[in-house]
Amino acid sequence: MKIFVFMGRNAKNKSGMSWKMWKIERKQCRVTVWFGPATVVKHRLTAVRSLQSRTWRFRTEALAKENEQLRINEKLNKGYERVAKRKA
């Protein structure tokens, strides 16, 4: 699973900042994304509430992989950053 975050200005919040979380996972011919607001608790990004999700199914694994990369590139172009994997 790949996790991306976005931090941007939001005048409606008391802090003036807004955090968003976006996750994507590909399993064979299926691509699933989860998204929603996030916050930082003890130096760790955490979802504010349960994340919304959406799943797409494709005829081939190659099409699923292509779609996954397309969605990742869209988020990177919007300013999202990839979260590094944590060491165990």
Side-chain angles (χ1 to χ4, degrees), residues 5-81:
V5 295
F6 178 79
M7 182 186 78
R9 296 181 187 265
N10 186 348
K12 294 179 183 178
N13 286 351
K14 188 183 267 187
S15 67
M17 298 303 285
S18 180
W19 287 85
K20 297 178 187 178
M21 178 184 282
W22 188 78
K23 300 178 181 183
I24 188 166
E25 181 179 56
R26 179 180 47 85
K27 287 188 177 179
Q28 297 174 345
C29 296
R30 186 177 67 210
V31 175
T32 304
V33 297
W34 294 267
F35 53 93
T39 187
V40 177
V41 177
K42 295 183 181 179
H43 304 286
R44 189 173 183 156
L45 191 68
T46 307
V48 173
R49 53 188 172 271
S50 62
L51 298 173
Q52 297 179 48
S53 67
R54 176 105 195 258
T55 301
W56 295 269
R57 294 181 187 273
F58 298 92
R59 291 184 186 269
T60 65
E61 200 168 328
L63 286 173
K65 190 172 187 176
E66 182 182 322
N67 185 270
E68 176 192 30
Q69 195 57 50
L70 178 75
R71 291 180 188 284
I72 289 171
N73 290 338
E74 285 176 357
K75 290 299 176 183
L76 291 174
N77 289 338
K78 287 183 178 181
Y80 281 72
E81 295 180 12

